[in-house]
Amino acid sequence: MIRCLAIDDEPLALQQLVTYISKVPDLELAAQCQSALEARKYLEQNVVDAIFCDINMPDLNGMDFVKSLQAPPLIVFTTAYSEYAVEGFKVNAVDYLLKPFGLQDFQRAASRIKERLEGPSANSQQLIANSQADTIFVKTDYRIVKIAISDIRYIEGMSEYLKIYVEGESKPIITLLSMKKIETKLPDTFMRIHRSYIVNLTKIQEVNKNRIIMDADTYLPIGDLYKEAFQNYLDTRFLGK
């Protein structure tokens, strides 16, 4: 399914987008927002494949919002003003829907999104390991990024998404992937310590009761199902009485 974000400050126009998204089989509504600022906050914690975005909005218009995104997903602009069309395509918009538009126009835009996503880099659930097995590639924000396995500090599972925390990066890399899938691509220096966490054992600073301390601000719980395996790991490396 193609996860979509709908943005429009007009309630009726926003409801139309939501309705049209529900009528296209390949589309799934991830969220709806009534301002670009609200949408920006949502995207800080979530990943979408496409955005249907009004241009004329208060505080921050849709065009400036898209330009502000470091790695924007696929964009379809919606507006009542035709003079924005050229500017829209300058930011590589997939399509431009002039209000009032009907379901047929919307389906055309949806088809263009699907065509873009079915390219060679489209499978958002695919993780590729190189032949040396020292790096992985994951899809995030419609990009495929390379991650050095040794730089991964820990991985957090959140429903069908993962947050990959990497050394030197202020924010995690968010990707559509399962814990089970990424576990198969990681070496034995990584261990599942909780149903929601995989940790790089070489990055652990301290173990305190049922918690792993990665740094002063990061404490990861050790789940009951994983305690024995983790304790066995500690026992093989513990020096002392």
Side-chain angles (χ1 to χ4, degrees), residues 5 38-46 48 51 65 69:
L5 176 62
E38 181 185 353
R40 178 186 284 172
K41 185 175 181 180
Y42 176 82
L43 290 175
E44 288 176 356
Q45 299 294 327
N46 300 275
V48 298
I51 297 177
F65 163 69
L69 298 177

Side-chain angles (χ1 to χ4, degrees), residues 47-61:
V47 176
V48 298
D49 300 303
I51 297 177
F52 292 86
C53 183
D54 186 27
I55 293 178
N56 278 53
M57 293 185 290
D59 298 324
L60 179 64
N61 71 49

Side-chain angles (χ1 to χ4, degrees), residues 14 20 23-24 27-28 32-33 43 57 59 124 159 183 205 207:
L14 182 60
Y20 283 174
K23 291 181 180 294
V24 178
L27 302 188
E28 176 186 29
Q32 52 181 303
C33 301
L43 290 175
M57 293 185 290
D59 298 324
S124 61
S159 187
E183 273 188 289
Q205 289 190 2
V207 180

